[in-house]
Amino acid sequence: MKLPKRDTGALEYVLTERVVLLVALLAVVLVWFKVLEGGQYLVAPFDAGYLASALESMVPLCLLALAELLVIVSGRGGIDLSVGSVVSLAGMAFGFMVGLWGWPLLPAAVGAVLVGGVLGAVNGFLTAYLRFPPLIATLATYYAYSSIAMVSNDKAPISTKPVQDLSALTDGVKLPLLPAIPLQVFTFLMPCLVIVWLVLTRSTYGRKLYAVGTNDVAATFATLSVPRVRLSAYVGSGLLAGVAAVVTVAQFASARPDAGTVGNGMALPAITIAVLGGVAIQGGIGTVGGVFVAALLVTWLNAGLLLAFEDSKGSQYQLLALGVVLILSALLNTLTLRRYGRIT
């Protein structure tokens, strides 16, 4: 029987290549808000300078979305609900080192990242070796880490002068023909993006991680140590959360015990960005490029919404917009899989 000929045009390419689809959506968002600006429906200009300054809020969220990428790709329902509380606790540790114990900046930053790695290792041991469901294990550690962060300095933030001086890490960097870009984009985000990309795409470990996430039974028959690979994914998640903790302390010029959990917390937006970026919740699928563009899309969408309403009412609609974008993305995924049978 002759099979019907499948479409191979531009539409299929856009719908099945996640990064291309996200770039198209990003273009739609930018054009839409420029149209609103032209019609004087925004309270301030939606220009390049504003978009560049908005990147400051993207840095910690993108770092945590990369953390979720690692654990979700590792499979077996991998997820890390504790990344926000890891940011709080590692940030407090960073505050103690810099602000109270007088450590130099670099050793203190390395120490905070290592604290994040240790906290991630606890999650990895619970899920990979004791085989706790990741949702339950990381929810439990979320509460535990949040509580320790709160009692570590009796709920008080650490904002001594050495910590306040860290705000210099968030200064803008002026480049030719471009608006000032927040410094942490170059010093924290870009190196982490490159390292995670190299690990996932250019290392033996990356191939093992995707193999374990795709089919851990087959990976076991291939003599891969599934628990060890999954444990390392959670350690990587903790290390990235530790980097986000350093960034957050610099942004706030204060080590706050609720930095990663206040309001809606950082975990759910990070998971949302990862899923929006094409990370398959069943594991084995996900790219750094997809996560980065998804973070950019969410950041600039939120930035536009803040200008669309007076008195900062736009912040009340950001979660609604995030939910709508996620639902539309999932719906588009379903329709695309039915039509073309693949998404990359």
Side-chain angles (χ1 to χ4, degrees):
M1 184 177 66
K2 186 177 181 180
L3 296 175
K5 185 178 180 179
R6 299 176 63 186
D7 294 337
T8 57
L11 180 60
E12 178 182 358
Y13 180 72
V14 170
L15 291 179
T16 56
E17 297 292 333
R18 175 58 64 124
V19 175
V20 176
L21 175 61
L22 289 172
V23 170
L25 290 175
L26 183 60
V28 170
V29 168
L30 294 177
V31 171
W32 173 248
F33 282 112
K34 288 303 290 182
V35 170
L36 291 180
E37 180 190 18
Q40 298 184 340
Y41 292 106
L42 301 182
V43 298
F46 187 76
D47 55 17
Y50 179 69
L51 293 177
S53 65
L55 295 178
E56 182 173 348
S57 63
M58 184 188 82
V59 174
L61 282 181
C62 190
L63 289 171
L64 296 183
L66 288 176
E68 297 295 344
L69 164 69
L70 294 179
V71 296
I72 295 175
V73 163
S74 71
R76 205 175 75 83
I79 201 165
D80 191 348
L81 297 180
S82 71
V83 288
S85 58
V86 173
V87 169
S88 298
L89 186 50
M92 289 301 291
F94 184 52
F96 275 107
M97 296 174 196
V98 172
L100 297 180
W101 299 342
W103 287 28
L105 174 60
L106 185 57
V110 172
V113 173
L114 292 178
V115 168
V118 170
L119 300 177
V122 173
N123 289 331
F125 181 74
L126 292 174
T127 57
Y129 285 94
L130 299 186
R131 299 186 66 80
F132 281 34
L135 189 70
I136 302 301
T138 57
L139 182 61
T141 54
Y142 164 82
Y143 290 125
Y145 298 161
S146 298
S147 178
I148 296 172
M150 283 292 180
V151 302
S152 63
N153 198 40
D154 199 19
K155 298 183 181 179
I158 300 173
S159 56
T160 56
K161 188 175 184 308
V163 176
Q164 295 174 0
D165 291 342
L166 295 176
S167 62
L169 296 175
T170 65
D171 290 344
V173 177
K174 293 186 178 180
L175 300 174
L177 304 177
L178 291 175
I181 307 293
L183 180 60
Q184 62 265 39
V185 172
F186 303 104
T187 54
F188 293 100
L189 179 59
M190 299 308 294
C192 288
L193 283 168
V194 172
I195 290 172
V196 176
W197 179 79
L198 287 174
V199 168
L200 290 182
T201 63
R202 296 291 186 272
S203 73
T204 304
Y205 171 76
R207 290 191 288 275
K208 289 180 180 177
L209 185 64
Y210 281 107
V212 167
T214 302
N215 189 329
D216 53 5
V217 176
T220 301
F221 282 118
T223 70
L224 296 181
S225 175
V226 173
R228 187 185 305 168
V229 172
R230 288 206 168 113
L231 169 65
S232 61
Y234 282 90
V235 172
S237 172
L239 292 173
L240 287 166
V243 176
V246 175
V247 174
T248 304
V249 170
Q251 288 179 342
F252 292 152
S254 171
R256 292 171 41 181
D258 61 349
T261 56
V262 67
N264 297 294
M266 291 183 171
L268 292 183
I271 294 169
T272 303
I273 289 172
V275 174
L276 181 63
V279 181
I281 204 69
Q282 70 270 21
I285 298 175
T287 65
V288 172
V291 169
F292 173 71
V293 181
L296 204 58
L297 171 64
V298 170
T299 300
W300 283 347
L301 175 62
N302 286 338
L305 287 173
L306 285 178
L307 299 184
F309 300 91
E310 295 181 347
D311 301 328
S312 301
K313 291 182 180 178
S315 61
Q316 301 172 17
Y317 294 94
Q318 289 177 342
L319 291 179
L320 173 63
L322 195 59
V324 170
V325 169
L326 189 59
I327 289 174
L328 290 178
S329 174
L331 180 62
L332 195 57
N333 270 1
T334 302
L335 295 176
T336 303
L337 283 170
R338 288 178 181 174
R339 180 69 179 87
Y340 301 108
R342 68 182 177 87
I343 295 177
T344 61

